[in-house]
Amino acid sequence: MAFVRVPRDGVPVTQAKDVALDPSLGKRFTLKTDVVVVGSGAAGSMVAYEMAKAGRDVLVLESGRYYPSSEFTEHLGDTMTKIYQDQVGQVNTTADIIFVQGACVGGSTVVGACVMEEPGDKVLDGWAEKYGLDALSAEKFRPYLDKVAEELQIHTNEAHEINACAHKVIQGCEKMQFSWKPAQRNVKQCALTGHCLAGCPSDRKMSSLVTHLPWASAYGARIFSDTEVIRVKTLDGRARGVEARIVDPDSGAHVADMNVDADMVVLAAGGIHTPLILQRSQVPDRSGQLGRNLAIQPFTQVLGKFKEPLYGFRGALVGVQVDEFTHTDGYTIFSGLAEPESLLAQGDMKAGQAHIEFMKDYKYYAGVNAFSKDLGNGYVKWDGDAYSGSKTIHYNPSREEFENMKASAALAARIFFSGGAEKVYLPTFQSLQANSVFELDEKMDKVDYGIKGMYTFRSNSFSPHGTCRMGADPYESVVSPTGEMHDTPGLFVADASLLPESMSAPIQWTVHALAKYVSDQINNNASNYFIS
Amino acid sequence: MKNNNRAPLPGHLAGLEPLSRRGFLRASVLAGAALTSGCASLFGRKDAPETLQYYSLKPDEVDVITRLTEIMLPTERYGLPSSTTVVPTVKNIDIMAQRFPEQTRELLGLGIWVFNNRPMMSFKFKKFTSLSDAKALEYVNAMQEGAFFERGLMTTLKALIALNYWRDERTWPGLEYHGPVTETWGVRRLGNAPLPRA
Ligand SMILES: Cc1cc2nc3c(=O)[nH]c(=O)nc-3n(C[C@H](O)[C@H](O)[C@H](O)COP(=O)(O)OP(=O)(O)OC[C@H]3O[C@@H](n4cnc5c(N)ncnc54)[C@H](O)[C@@H]3O)c2cc1C
C-alpha cells in the first residue's frame, strides 16, 4: 500500500444495524477472508494491525457494541450497562468475585485503568525454562515489550498525575519505609478527569479504540461489532473459519447468522471467552488443560477515611503503586478512587442512615486496590449446546490464596493509617472497619475462611488469564510456542489466555506484546498458512 | 403477562426510564398525541412507583425491592433526591435485570424470594415486607452479619440498589462529586493516534 491514512476520528465498523439494513446480506451470509480475528481488545486489535499491515485480508469480529469515544459520557453507570461484559455481572459460581471485562470494540482496553507494567526478567526467563518458551526469554521478548511501549506512549506518571488520594499512599509508605513508585500509564497528555473506567472521551487513553484498530482499518481490516463467534469450523482437522451470530445490542433482536471462510482463525476473545469458544467448537486438546489454570489476580478495594477533604476522585485515576512486596509476596497496591458507583465494589456499604453517611463521606476517602497473586487453579466451562448453553467460572480462593488476599488488604489498611487515616473500611462481606491501627489485626482475624473462602473478601478480577496455556509440551499446554493450537493447524490464540502461569504484574502490556509476537510467528511462516 | 424478554433501553437513555419505548407507545395511545421528550412531565420521574411499568421484575419482587430501597436509602431525610419517587431505583434494576443472562436472572429471583421469606425467629417469622421500618433495618443488618450465604445475598441486593440509585447524576451534588468534566473544562479531543513510523 503506497499511502496509508488513518482517519482523524473513530473506526469504520459494520454494526448490527448496518447488517439489518443491507438487503444484499440477508439473514444468513458468508464472508471470505485470509484471517478472521475473534475479539478486538488488547490482543485482537494488535493481531489485526500486524496482519493487515503485512498485506493480509483481515476480518475482525467483536461481540460487543461499537461505542465511539466521542459518545462517552463519563458516566460509569451508563458505561457499565452498555459496554461492560454482562453489565459487570460476570461472576464466579458463588457470585462473590466479579470478573470485570470490556465488551465492546476495543475490549477491556477501552475501560482499563491505564496502568502498564512489564513482566520482570525473572518471570520471562522462568517461562522460557519451565514451559519451553525460548522466544519469551527476557532477552528475546523485551524488544516486543519496547515496541508496545512506543506504540501506546507508555510513560511514568509526572508530578501532576499524582493526586491527593495517591499522596496519602505515599505518606503512608514513607512512614512505613515501604518502597513505592509512580505508576506507568498509556496516556497521552492526560486531562486528569478521573473517568478512566468509563472510557476516555478526549482520546487521551491509548486504548485500542484510538490505536491499533484505526491503524488496522487504515490497512484495510474490516471490523464487525455485535457479532458473537459461536464456534470455530474445522475441515480435516484444520481451522477453516467461524460461525457467528449478529444481535442488535439495543433490542436484543437476532439480526443474522454469519459464516466466515478463512485460511486462519486467531482467537483473541480474552481469558474467559477464548477457552469457551474452543470448548464449544470441541477442538481436540490432548493436555486436558483447556479452560483450566485460570489465574485471576484477585484484588480488593480498601478505603481510608481522612480528616480533611481529599476529593480523591479528582485527577489521574491511578497515581502510584506500592512495590515493596511485589517480588517477594506478589502483592501490589495501587492508589485509585473512581466514581461514586465504584464505592459499592467495596465490602458492606451498610443500610439506612449508616449507608447515607458512608456515601456522604466520599470526599474524605482515599482508595487503593490491593492485588494479590493467586495459584491459577480456577477453570471456565461451557455447558450445553453451543448456541443455547451457558458459561460458568469456577474460582474460590484456597486457604493460601485467602491468606494472600488478607495480607494484601491488611497492608493497604496499615499504609492508610500511617498516612493519617481516621478509619479504614475493610473489603469484606461482613461489616468490618478499623478505627485505628491497633484494632486492625483483631478485625482482620474476624475474617474467617469459612467454606471454600466464599463470601469472605469482596473481590474483583480485571485480568483473568492462563486458560489456554502456551508451552512446548502438548501434554502440558494447549497452545504451542508459536501461538497455534497443538492439535489444530490454522487455529491460533493471541490473548491473555496464553500466559503460561499466574502473573503478579498487571497484564495488559504483556498481552499486547504476546499478540505482536504471535502475529510475527504467523507472518514469518505465511507460506505455510495462506493459500494465496 | 409481563414480557421478561424485552430488551432494555440503550444506556444513553438511562435516567429516562419512565419514557421507555413501550411507555411512549402506551402514552401516545392514551394521550392521542405525538410524544416528544418534552412530555417528560406527563409521566416523568416524579411518578409514584406503582404507575411505573416493570418488564422483568415480578410484582412481588418489585414490592420487596421497593421496600428494601426505602430501608436502605432513606434519602429524603438527608436532603437527597428520593430513592423511590425521584430516582427510579427499582425501575433501573428492572431494566438491568432484563439484560442479565438467564442464569443470573433466575438467581436474582431466588435471592429476592429467600430474602423476603427467610424465617428468622427474632423477627417472628414475618416476611421482610411486613416488618416495621425499624425491624426491617434490623433484619438487613442481621443478614449482613449472618452466615456466609446470608452475607452474600445481602451484599448483592444492597449493591444492586445502591448502584441504581447513586448512578443517577441528581444524587451527585449531595456527595460533592463533580461528574463529567471534559466538556465543562473544554478539553479538546485528540482523535486517533498517528500510525507508528515503520
Ligand atoms: C475495568 C478494567 C480495568 C483494567 N485496568 C487495567 C490496568 O490498569 N492495567 C492492566 O494491565 N490491565 C488492566 N485491565 C486488564 C486488561 O485490560 C486486560 O488484561 C487486557 O485487555 C486483555 O486483553 P485481551 O485481548 O485478552 O482481552 P480483552 O481486551 O478483554 O478483549 C476481548 C474482546 O473479545 C470480545 N469477545 C468475547 N467473546 C467473544 C466472542 N464469542 N465473539 C467475538 N468477540 C468476543 C470481548 O467483547 C472483548 O472485546 C483492566 C481491565 C478492566 C476490565
Side-chain angles (χ1 to χ4, degrees):
Chain A
M1 212 174 287
F3 183 68
V4 178
R5 201 192 168 95
V6 177
R8 159 89 177 67
D9 218 30
V11 187
V13 176
T14 306
Q15 304 175 51
K17 61 177 190 231
D18 305 315
V19 174
L21 289 174
D22 187 340
S24 71
L25 292 173
K27 271 279 188 203
R28 193 172 270 279
F29 62 94
T30 297
L31 297 178
K32 284 192 196 317
T33 184
D34 295 342
V35 188
V36 56
V37 180
V38 181
S40 63
S45 61
M46 176 66 79
V47 174
Y49 165 60
E50 291 292 347
M51 304 293 288
K53 191 172 64 168
R56 296 289 151 205
D57 186 13
V58 175
L59 179 66
V60 181
L61 305 182
E62 165 57 54
S63 56
R65 74 169 82 212
Y66 174 47
Y67 198 2
S69 39
S70 57
E71 285 178 23
F72 286 141
T73 57
E74 297 180 297
H75 194 309
L76 187 58
D78 287 354
T79 317
M80 284 172 169
T81 319
K82 273 192 147 180
I83 62 169
Y84 273 72
Q85 184 72 44
D86 300 350
Q87 298 180 85
V88 200
Q90 183 168 259
V91 289
N92 62 342
T93 45
T94 43
D96 54 348
I97 297 179
I98 303 178
F99 289 81
V100 191
Q101 185 196 323
C104 56
V105 172
S108 302
T109 72
V110 175
V111 293
C114 304
V115 178
M116 293 287 133
E117 206 180 345
E118 293 175 273
D121 284 0
K122 231 168 114 187
V123 171
L124 294 172
D125 289 339
W127 292 350
E129 196 181 316
K130 199 164 156 198
Y131 300 97
L133 296 169
D134 301 338
L136 302 192
S137 67
E139 193 195 345
K140 293 188 183 147
F141 195 58
R142 211 142 286 289
Y144 285 101
L145 291 159
D146 293 346
K147 189 80 185 116
V148 169
E150 203 181 296
E151 289 176 2
L152 296 186
Q153 312 213 12
I154 297 173
H155 73 286
T156 302
N157 273 340
E158 293 181 25
H160 66 282
E161 293 168 283
I162 295 178
N163 70 1
C165 168
H167 274 288
K168 287 296 171 196
V169 176
I170 297 173
Q171 280 169 25
C173 283
E174 292 287 321
K175 205 151 173 196
M176 304 280 290
Q177 298 191 326
F178 289 165
S179 165
W180 63 273
K181 61 182 183 188
Q184 296 181 94
R185 299 189 306 142
N186 59 330
V187 184
K188 179 168 73 178
Q189 301 164 19
C190 181
L192 311 178
T193 64
H195 289 292
C196 294
L197 302 183
C200 185
S202 62
D203 300 325
R204 278 146 215 270
K205 180 195 292 184
M206 292 291 98
S207 78
S208 299
L209 206 50
V210 297
T211 57
H212 294 86
L213 287 171
W215 301 342
S217 143
Y219 279 108
R222 291 173 289 167
I223 303 168
F224 277 72
S225 64
D226 317 318
T227 306
E228 184 187 17
V229 168
I230 305 295
R231 62 180 154 207
V232 177
K233 296 187 302 175
T234 50
L235 187 70
D236 298 333
R238 197 184 189 292
R240 286 293 175 201
V242 298
E243 281 172 22
R245 162 172 68 184
I246 303 178
V247 173
D248 184 300
D250 292 329
S251 69
H254 177 192
V255 170
D257 289 314
M258 179 195 279
N259 176 48
V260 177
D261 290 340
D263 292 344
M264 171 176 299
V265 178
V266 183
L267 295 184
I272 304 279
H273 292 258
T274 286
L276 294 174
I277 297 170
L278 290 167
Q279 290 171 358
R280 293 197 293 254
S281 312
Q282 300 184 330
V283 293
D285 166 42
R286 255 182 289 171
S287 69
Q289 300 297 310
L290 176 59
R292 307 199 78 87
N293 308 308
L294 169 67
I296 75 164
Q297 252 180 26
F299 72 91
T300 56
Q301 295 183 349
V302 178
L303 291 180
K305 190 187 164 225
F306 290 81
K307 283 190 202 71
E308 70 279 24
L310 300 175
Y311 298 95
F313 43 87
R314 295 184 183 160
L317 181 63
V318 181
V320 298
Q321 74 190 74
V322 183
D323 60 344
E324 173 84 21
F325 312 95
T326 310
H327 302 297
T328 47
D329 306 275
Y331 318 139
T332 313
I333 295 164
F334 291 95
S335 69
L337 183 68
E339 288 84 336
E341 296 94 314
S342 76
L343 292 185
L344 313 174
Q346 213 269 342
D348 172 39
M349 71 282 310
K350 306 180 182 10
Q353 182 180 351
H355 173 77
I356 305 283
E357 280 166 5
F358 169 74
M359 292 301 293
K360 279 202 164 252
D361 281 341
Y362 186 33
K363 67 178 176 200
Y364 296 100
Y365 293 146
V368 287
N369 292 326
F371 283 74
S372 62
K373 195 174 163 184
D374 62 328
L375 305 173
N377 290 334
Y379 65 98
V380 298
K381 192 162 177 283
W382 184 262
D383 288 301
D385 174 73
Y387 280 84
S388 58
S390 58
K391 67 180 168 194
T392 41
I393 306 171
H394 298 258
Y395 184 94
N396 288 106
S398 65
R399 272 190 188 271
E400 187 181 340
E401 290 164 326
F402 168 78
E403 292 302 334
N404 284 341
M405 287 160 78
K406 199 166 169 174
S408 172
L411 279 169
R414 241 167 248 284
I415 290 168
F416 272 153
F417 280 124
S418 299
E422 289 184 316
K423 182 188 280 192
V424 170
Y425 292 92
L426 298 175
T428 49
F429 278 90
Q430 286 156 282
S431 219
L432 290 180
Q433 62 202 49
N435 291 311
S436 77
V437 72
F438 306 108
E439 271 183 33
L440 190 60
D441 289 343
E442 177 211 332
K443 290 287 159 83
M444 271 294 172
D445 284 346
K446 289 194 175 162
V447 191
D448 175 22
Y449 179 70
I451 300 172
K452 285 181 85 185
M454 282 190 272
Y455 305 112
T456 55
F457 284 101
R458 198 160 156 77
S459 178
N460 299 279
S461 170
F462 278 175
S463 306
H465 58 277
T467 42
C468 301
R469 172 192 277 173
M470 191 186 232
D473 182 348
Y475 290 97
E476 286 284 317
S477 57
V478 178
V479 173
S480 80
T482 60
E484 194 168 20
M485 295 274 299
H486 281 300
D487 296 313
T488 312
L491 178 54
F492 283 76
V493 174
D495 60 24
S497 344
L498 287 181
L499 295 177
E501 60 184 17
S502 169
M503 270 184 88
S504 56
I507 65 172
Q508 189 180 327
W509 191 344
T510 311
V511 171
H512 282 289
L514 268 177
K516 207 180 238 321
Y517 160 79
V518 170
S519 310
D520 265 10
Q521 302 309 301
I522 300 172
N523 284 330
N524 293 344
N525 294 297
S527 58
N528 292 345
Y529 300 127
F530 299 105
I531 293 155
S532 53
Chain B
M1 264 297 268
K2 281 178 180 152
N3 174 7
N4 286 339
N5 296 321
R6 189 180 163 273
L9 278 183
H12 62 272
L13 296 184
L16 296 176
E17 289 69 21
L19 294 174
S20 67
R21 212 174 309 142
R22 189 170 283 245
F24 265 116
L25 292 177
R26 184 159 302 140
S28 64
V29 173
L30 288 178
L35 285 169
T36 65
S37 52
C39 290
S41 57
L42 221 153
F43 50 113
R45 292 164 170 166
K46 294 241 154 68
D47 264 10
E50 59 271 19
T51 66
L52 295 178
Q53 293 292 318
Y54 296 93
Y55 296 102
S56 180
L57 296 176
K58 302 192 188 97
D60 44 348
E61 293 175 338
V62 169
D63 291 346
V64 180
I65 296 287
T66 305
R67 184 76 185 120
L68 183 54
T69 303
E70 287 164 0
I71 297 304
M72 181 168 178
L73 294 161
T75 41
E76 280 129 307
R77 271 193 267 150
Y78 301 90
L80 289 160
S82 163
S83 57
T84 48
T85 58
V86 177
V87 176
T89 311
V90 184
K91 183 66 201 158
N92 286 344
I93 295 173
D94 180 60
I95 287 171
M96 202 171 210
Q98 286 172 333
R99 278 234 199 138
F100 280 162
E102 210 175 293
Q103 240 181 355
T104 316
R105 176 67 189 88
E106 276 166 21
L107 265 180
L108 175 67
L110 184 66
I112 296 173
W113 189 90
V114 169
F115 173 74
N116 194 34
N117 292 282
R118 182 167 169 62
M120 269 189 163
M121 208 162 49
S122 36
F123 298 96
K124 299 195 173 121
F125 299 111
K126 274 189 177 172
K127 286 188 179 185
F128 168 73
T129 41
S130 34
L131 295 173
S132 67
D133 281 8
K135 281 280 168 204
L137 182 57
E138 235 180 86
Y139 174 74
V140 169
N141 290 337
M143 285 283 282
Q144 191 71 57
E145 296 303 327
F148 72 95
F149 73 91
E150 292 169 332
R151 309 198 280 267
L153 175 58
M154 200 60 254
T155 308
T156 307
L157 292 178
K158 277 185 187 173
L160 202 61
I161 287 171
L163 174 69
N164 281 295
Y165 175 72
W166 295 108
R167 64 182 286 183
D168 191 302
E169 55 206 49
R170 288 167 294 179
T171 67
W172 296 346
L175 306 181
E176 289 187 52
Y177 170 59
H178 51 52
V181 287
T182 294
E183 216 176 296
T184 325
W185 292 352
V187 177
R188 188 172 58 91
R189 294 196 59 225
L190 298 182
N192 291 327
L195 260 186
R197 267 174 278 163

